DNA sequence: AACGACGTCAACCGCCTATAC
DNA sequence: CGTATAGGCGGTTGACGTCGT
């Protein structure tokens, strides 16, 4: 790690002129993380350039801010996105486009960076494989008529597993827990699929303000941190102590819960597309 | 075992906007 | 009003891990 560290002369920066210290770049060390967390715990966040200096970090304010928001902040969630979260991202992206920070506002504990990475590595990959422009109407259609119903189905079928089963309240509104016999044909008209259940989340109209979006998300994707913690246990491991043993958390627990669902979902997706569309797989 | 291809994701870059002066 | 600075955002990069051959 340390060997990859590079430096940047601060003299080129217009934001500070007092000394010509070299700024570190590249991966953060545990020591740097500790300094940053300790400083923010005692003094709060903000004024990042000053913070970096006072915390004794040879980093730009921007770098500190990013490290804190995307990694160190206690409520940052780790682990694969749950099907609910994936569903919400698909929905919100269709409304908001590449406004990642806006989308992230509706996914507690998830960062814009994470959502952006998810979109580029998972969703855009599928578009590439299908040779469809991910911004095209055809791809949007694909998402709404195939992916989203499939995700809803996944959510529903996994509602009997511990990952989705609510420990204290009910299944989130918008997701049926009904054990009705024809659940396998579950789909939703709003996604241009042939069959309807009234429990599907309704896509808000194209033009929405923040309160519209908030209402939609609250009504249909009501997972907050406590809900996620209840249901996914170690999945939400965003505190500093846990962060300090990331070696331990690589895999085991995650694979027991939401990750299984997410992994199998994506691993099945290629096959699913092929069946539904006849598109050649690459 | 070695190697290359590919996927993931943390981190950086450059631009834009808001705010202070 | 104009300029400087900080913060925020989306796009991109590159290190590293995994998988297939």
């Amino acid at each position: 790690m340390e060997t990859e560290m590079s430096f940047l002369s601060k003299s080129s920066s217009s934001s500070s002129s007092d000394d010509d210290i070299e700024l570190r770049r590249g991966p953060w060390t545990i020591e740097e993380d500790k300094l940053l967390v300790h400083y923010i715990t005692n003094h709060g966040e903000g004024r990042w350039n000053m913070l970096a200096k006072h915390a004794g970090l040879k980093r730009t304010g921007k770098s500190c801010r990013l490290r804190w928001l995307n990694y160190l902040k206690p409520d940052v969630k780790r682990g694969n996105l749950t099907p609910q979260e994936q569903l919400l991202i698909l929905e919100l992206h269709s409304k908001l486009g590449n406004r990642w920070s806006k989308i992230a506002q509706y996914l507690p504990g998830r960062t814009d960076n994470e959502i952006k990475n998810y979109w580029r590595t998972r969703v855009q990959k599928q578009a590439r494989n299908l040779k469809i422009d991910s911004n095209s109407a055809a791809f949007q259609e694909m998402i709404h008529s195939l992916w989203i119903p499939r995700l809803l189905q996944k959510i529903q079928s996994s509602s009997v597993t511990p990952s989705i089963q609510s420990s204290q309240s009910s299944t989130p509104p918008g997701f049926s827990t009904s054990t009705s016999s024809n659940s396998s044909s579950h789909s939703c008209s709003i996604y241009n699929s042939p069959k309807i259940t009234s429990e599907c989340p309704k896509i808000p109209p194209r033009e929405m303000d923040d309160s519209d979006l908030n209402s939609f998300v609250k009504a249909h994707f009501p997972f907050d941190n406590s809900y996620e913690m209840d249901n996914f246990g170690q999945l939400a491991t965003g505190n500093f102590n846990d962060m300090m043993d990331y070696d331990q958390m690589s895999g085991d627990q995650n694979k027991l819960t939401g990750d299984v669902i997410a992994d199998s979902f994506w691993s099945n997706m290629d096959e699913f597309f092929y069946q539904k569309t006849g598109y050649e797989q690459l």
Side-chain angles (χ1 to χ4, degrees):
Chain A
M1 264 321 161
E2 198 63 23
T3 56
E4 301 300 331
M5 186 63 62
S6 60
F7 294 88
L8 181 74
S9 168
K10 197 168 183 175
S11 57
S12 62
S13 164
S14 58
S15 61
S16 176
S17 55
D18 44 347
D19 44 8
D20 197 25
I21 59 171
E22 298 219 307
L23 291 174
R24 292 169 64 87
R25 301 174 67 208
W28 280 63
T29 65
I30 290 181
E31 275 311 308
E32 287 178 304
D33 284 346
K34 281 180 180 171
L35 281 174
L36 183 56
V37 169
H38 184 255
Y39 187 87
I40 290 177
T41 301
N42 290 327
H43 299 95
E45 54 183 279
R47 306 290 305 263
W48 293 102
N49 283 333
M50 191 191 74
L51 183 153
K53 197 188 291 182
H54 289 172
L57 288 158
K58 293 172 179 173
R59 296 271 184 174
T60 64
K62 276 188 174 190
S63 179
C64 294
R65 174 182 166 273
L66 208 64
R67 182 64 177 172
W68 173 251
L69 293 179
N70 287 346
Y71 199 83
L72 297 174
K73 202 173 178 181
D75 55 6
V76 170
K77 247 185 258 175
R78 321 221 92 81
N80 285 357
L81 294 160
T82 65
Q84 287 96 330
E85 288 172 317
Q86 294 175 41
L87 179 59
L88 183 52
I89 290 169
L90 293 177
E91 276 297 351
L92 290 173
H93 187 272
S94 74
K95 304 296 156 207
L96 300 169
N98 295 357
R99 293 161 69 187
W100 308 117
S101 62
K102 195 77 184 170
I103 293 171
Q105 287 174 11
Y106 297 95
L107 287 111
R110 301 298 186 180
T111 67
D112 54 352
N113 211 32
E114 189 175 12
I115 293 167
K116 182 170 56 182
N117 282 333
Y118 164 76
W119 186 266
R120 293 186 60 81
T121 60
R122 308 290 183 89
V123 180
Q124 284 198 334
K125 185 189 83 177
Q126 297 296 334
R128 273 199 311 276
N129 288 348
L130 296 169
K131 296 173 179 164
I132 302 177
D133 177 5
S134 64
N135 294 316
S136 68
F139 191 65
Q140 285 295 313
E141 169 68 19
M142 184 80 72
I143 286 175
H144 281 113
S145 61
L146 296 178
W147 289 26
I148 290 179
R150 177 70 168 176
L151 265 176
L152 287 168
Q153 200 174 38
K154 204 79 194 174
I155 290 163
Q156 195 174 34
S157 65
S158 65
S159 66
V160 295
T161 71
S163 59
I164 303 298
Q165 217 169 27
S166 172
S167 62
Q168 52 187 9
S169 59
S170 60
T171 299
F175 304 113
S176 169
T177 54
S178 143
T179 52
S180 66
S181 58
N182 64 345
S183 63
S184 63
S185 65
H186 175 97
S187 56
C188 188
S189 67
I190 60 169
Y191 304 124
N192 304 320
S193 293
K195 300 197 175 164
I196 303 173
T197 75
S198 60
E199 291 142 334
C200 289
K202 302 274 190 298
I203 300 178
R206 272 262 159 203
E207 299 301 327
M208 293 174 296
D209 59 21
D210 283 354
S211 65
D212 292 334
L213 271 171
N214 267 316
S215 306
F216 170 72
V217 172
K218 275 185 187 160
H220 299 295
F221 301 90
F223 42 80
D224 56 20
N225 288 334
S226 59
Y227 175 81
E228 290 295 316
M229 285 299 283
D230 286 341
N231 288 296
F232 298 98
Q234 296 298 315
L235 197 59
T237 52
N239 67 57
F240 185 63
N241 290 333
D242 287 344
M243 184 277 296
M244 285 310 174
D245 343 286
Y246 15 59
D247 283 344
Q248 268 188 311
M249 52 170 272
S250 61
D252 304 329
Q253 272 295 358
N254 287 347
K255 290 297 173 195
L256 294 176
T257 56
D259 286 3
V260 173
I261 299 161
D263 286 352
S264 61
F265 171 73
W266 283 106
S267 63
N268 290 337
M269 194 51 91
D270 288 343
E271 185 193 355
F272 171 72
F273 270 127
Y274 182 66
Q275 288 169 359
K276 287 285 185 187
T277 66
Y279 278 99
E280 292 284 342
Q281 287 180 276
L282 293 179

